[in-house]
Amino acid sequence: MRLKDKVAIVTGAGAGMGRAVATGYAKEGARLVLADIKRNLCRETASIIQDAGGVATFIMTDVTQFAGVQAMVDVAIQRFGRVDILYNNAGIQFMRADSRAHELSEDIWDRTVAVNLKGSWLCAKAVIPFMLQQGGGSIILVGSPTGYRACAPGYTAYSASKGGVIGLTRIMAIDYARDNIRVNSLCPGTTETPMISAVLEDEGVPQRLAEAIPMGRIGQPEDVVGLAVFLASDESSFCTGGFYVVDGGMTAM
């Protein structure tokens, strides 16, 4: 097992890619703290892992509030004594309310940046002191190709927030490299998750999205698991400051 005896925190673990990665980590032997703002969904993920013989606990967490984030990390320390992996998956995208800059409301901007960028920073801020004490760890921030390519016209807040995640990944990777804390970004392309389910219900949209991807299909949550495990494991011990794309070739064009 590639993550045997490691302790992982997965945010946004209630559904989609967060749930897929959490169950993937459990299969590889990790013990898990699952966090999500939706308590019932997070409990479901924990039950799935426990029913399969894994070890998981959960806590409702709003990643935009440091007190809640600190409580999440405290659960990991109290229950397992350490934190080896932070998989920061919690994110938000307002599919019908995000827009071009002059049309974008301040509320949508603030809420998007608070979850996607501030939340990434707060989660890292809370786990890093423990990783420093124990001699290292792996932080994986979920980014997006929209953070470095203009591939999502009209999604100003989301693209800007994910651009910030790219910058945060880079600076933390450099700041903590000598402390054996690796910081990388996993960047999924268009993936079928609850976050975009409403848009996928529109006639013709799934086909158009699939046609824009060289591999000819929309991604599934399970597509990111292999790379998420690699970045969490000791196999990636010389990898930091990287951006790992799982997008079916979309950004190769």
Side-chain angles (χ1 to χ4, degrees):
M1 290 186 174
R2 298 156 76 189
L3 302 179
K4 190 177 186 308
D5 297 327
K6 292 188 182 293
V7 176
I9 294 174
V10 178
T11 69
M17 288 181 278
R19 177 174 286 184
V21 169
T23 56
Y25 281 177
K27 290 176 182 176
E28 292 292 341
R31 295 168 291 168
L32 287 132
V33 173
L34 310 174
D36 201 292
I37 200 166
K38 297 179 179 178
R39 182 190 299 274
N40 289 340
L41 291 178
C42 202
R43 181 186 290 112
E44 287 178 10
T45 304
S47 294
I48 290 169
I49 291 171
Q50 292 162 356
D51 290 347
V55 178
T57 189
F58 70 92
I59 179 171
M60 186 179 75
T61 306
D62 179 352
V63 298
T64 71
Q65 303 297 319
F66 186 66
V69 170
Q70 188 65 66
M72 172 190 76
V73 176
D74 288 345
V75 167
I77 299 301
Q78 292 164 8
R79 177 79 185 272
F80 302 118
R82 59 188 297 115
V83 180
D84 300 290
I85 303 153
L86 168 65
Y87 189 82
N88 198 79
N89 172 77
I92 194 168
Q93 184 175 15
F94 292 97
M95 300 300 295
R96 302 189 189 281
D98 206 342
S99 60
R100 297 187 300 169
H102 78 286
E103 300 165 322
L104 179 63
S105 75
E106 189 173 355
D107 177 62
I108 294 300
W109 170 275
D110 287 346
R111 291 165 66 188
T112 303
V113 172
V115 174
N116 295 353
L117 181 53
K118 181 183 177 183
S120 296
W121 164 60
L122 288 180
C123 290
K125 175 180 171 65
V127 301
I128 285 172
F130 295 99
M131 289 183 172
L132 289 171
Q133 291 175 13
Q134 68 196 27
S138 175
I139 296 174
I140 304 160
L141 304 182
V142 175
S144 168
T146 63
Y148 54 88
R149 286 198 59 186
C151 56
Y155 289 96
T156 302
Y158 185 78
S159 299
S161 70
K162 291 300 186 177
V165 170
I166 297 297
L168 183 63
T169 299
R170 285 192 170 114
I171 194 61
M172 290 200 305
I174 297 303
D175 281 344
Y176 299 101
R178 295 296 176 94
D179 298 302
N180 197 34
I181 298 174
R182 299 180 292 105
V183 187
N184 293 287
S185 181
L186 191 155
C187 300
T190 304
T191 305
E192 188 175 351
T193 68
M195 190 167 71
I196 68 168
S197 59
V199 171
L200 293 177
E201 291 173 359
D202 291 348
E203 185 177 356
V205 169
Q207 182 178 350
R208 289 198 299 272
L209 290 174
E211 289 174 350
I213 299 170
M215 292 189 74
R217 68 173 178 89
I218 297 172
Q220 297 299 311
E222 292 73 23
D223 290 326
V224 305
V225 174
L227 191 50
V229 170
F230 169 73
L231 292 173
S233 75
D234 294 338
E235 295 171 9
S236 58
S237 62
F238 201 53
C239 299
T240 197
F243 306 95
Y244 298 85
V245 179
V246 187
D247 69 354
M250 184 177 68
T251 53
M253 296 187 298

